[in-house]
Amino acid sequence: MSLCIEALLKQTAQQLAEAGSDSPQLDAAVLLCHVLDKPRSYLLTWPEKTLDSEQSAAFEAVLRRRLAGEPVAYIVGEREFWSLPLKVAPHTLIPRPDTERLVELALDKIPAQPCSVLDLGTGTGAIALAIASERPDISVTGIDLRPEAAQLAEENSRNLHITNTRFTAGSWYSPLTADDSFAVIVSNPPYIDKTDPHLDQGDVRFEPKTALVAEEHGLADIRVISEQGRRYLQQGGWLLMEHGFEQGEAVRNILLELGYSQVSTAQDYAGLDRVTMGCWQG
Ligand code: GLN
């Protein structure tokens, strides 16, 4: 006898809690909606419905993956960021709510008139698409090392009918020409030290190391982005980068040494240092 939706959710949440998920109820509901191809409201409206055998088998399969630690976003292939539903894939980082802070701060620095913005290490295109959706009058370029990521970001832009972005593959600024220049450059680069024990826990175990880990205690890519950014920022343009909560001072020092001005660090929603920015006066 198969369980009804209500009982199944309860049993699944318990299994997920025992397996160490920090959001067992939510995981159970999201996985079940994915299998049933229904919105969350369906689960509350039809708690007494039972799954047919095909749905039960599909649910068992996704639950097994989640119990083995695989992130929900990779199983369902989607994650919402800045209220935009984005396709995600194992070759991209899963967008984090904290990164919405970087979007808010960048929006604040983008001039009122039409201009160009660059997002380095765009992954799913989350940051570029969030900015482009708020500012249809500007043009946003997203670059990712992996061609599959640039393609996925492009696909996300098409699905969301966002037309003021373009995505391209390459290492940091390499796909650009000497004529390209930007009013704002944003990035959520890899910034975790390779010995950080947090890499062996939870979702990050399944995410690409290239999107997470950087040399020089996590600061190597931040340094490259800051150094080369000076060539691509317009006079008075801003560079904003996400980083680890203990890296604020180190990132400020990198920007100051490179000649950026008005250097400051902003906190994430948990009150931790998360984004450092500086202005390039040329
Ligand atoms: N903030 C992410 C984490 O700590 C890492 C993102 C990144 O390296 N850019 O899980």
Side-chain angles (χ1 to χ4, degrees), residues 15-250:
Q15 277 175 283
L16 287 165
E18 281 161 19
S21 162
D22 337 314
S23 51
Q25 265 103 5
L26 182 65
D27 290 5
V30 171
L31 293 175
L32 188 53
C33 288
H34 172 66
V35 164
L36 299 177
D37 194 20
K38 297 282 187 217
R40 293 272 289 286
S41 55
Y42 183 90
L43 306 180
L44 298 170
T45 315
W46 305 105
E48 71 292 350
K49 269 209 182 193
T50 54
L51 276 57
D52 64 30
S53 58
E54 205 176 311
Q55 291 167 330
S56 296
F59 186 66
E60 289 252 324
V62 297
L63 178 58
R64 217 172 302 124
R65 288 169 65 186
R66 180 61 189 139
L67 289 170
E70 199 175 332
V72 172
Y74 287 156
I75 299 173
V76 305
E78 194 179 284
R79 173 56 47 96
E80 199 163 287
F81 180 81
W82 200 263
S83 301
L84 304 171
L86 298 173
K87 272 185 84 165
V88 301
H91 49 262
T92 61
L93 195 75
I94 300 166
R96 315 275 204 268
D98 275 333
T99 303
E100 294 186 353
R101 187 77 183 111
L102 176 60
V103 171
E104 282 175 0
L105 294 160
L107 285 169
D108 203 45
K109 295 295 183 203
I110 297 172
Q113 62 276 20
C115 61
S116 297
V117 168
L118 175 65
D119 173 25
L120 290 176
T122 195
T124 57
I127 298 168
L129 291 165
I131 291 174
S133 73
E134 294 293 331
R135 289 291 305 269
D137 60 317
I138 67 172
S139 92
V140 185
T141 301
I143 297 177
D144 200 278
L145 182 61
R146 298 191 181 213
E148 316 91 280
Q151 276 159 24
L152 182 74
E154 193 68 56
E155 190 182 332
N156 278 324
S157 73
R158 280 197 304 275
N159 292 342
L160 294 163
H161 308 290
I162 292 174
T163 54
N164 54 327
T165 49
R166 68 179 181 116
F167 294 99
T168 162
S171 173
W172 303 128
Y173 300 90
S174 64
L176 299 174
T177 68
D179 295 335
D180 287 310
S181 73
F182 301 91
V184 170
I185 299 175
V186 286
S187 183
N188 175 16
Y191 54 71
I192 302 177
D193 181 74
K194 55 179 178 283
T195 63
D196 191 327
H198 148 240
L199 291 167
D200 302 320
Q201 296 157 17
D203 286 4
V204 288
R205 290 172 299 164
F206 290 80
E207 293 180 291
K209 289 282 172 291
T210 48
L212 293 165
V213 176
E215 294 296 323
E216 220 190 292
H217 306 292
L219 293 168
D221 292 301
I222 286 178
R223 187 183 300 283
V224 169
I225 291 167
S226 308
E227 220 162 52
Q228 298 181 11
R230 297 178 297 178
R231 257 188 273 155
Y232 295 98
L233 278 170
Q234 285 156 9
Q235 198 179 353
W238 285 85
L239 170 65
L240 300 96
M241 293 172 294
E242 179 173 322
H243 54 71
F245 72 99
E246 293 169 320
Q247 293 172 325
E249 190 182 354

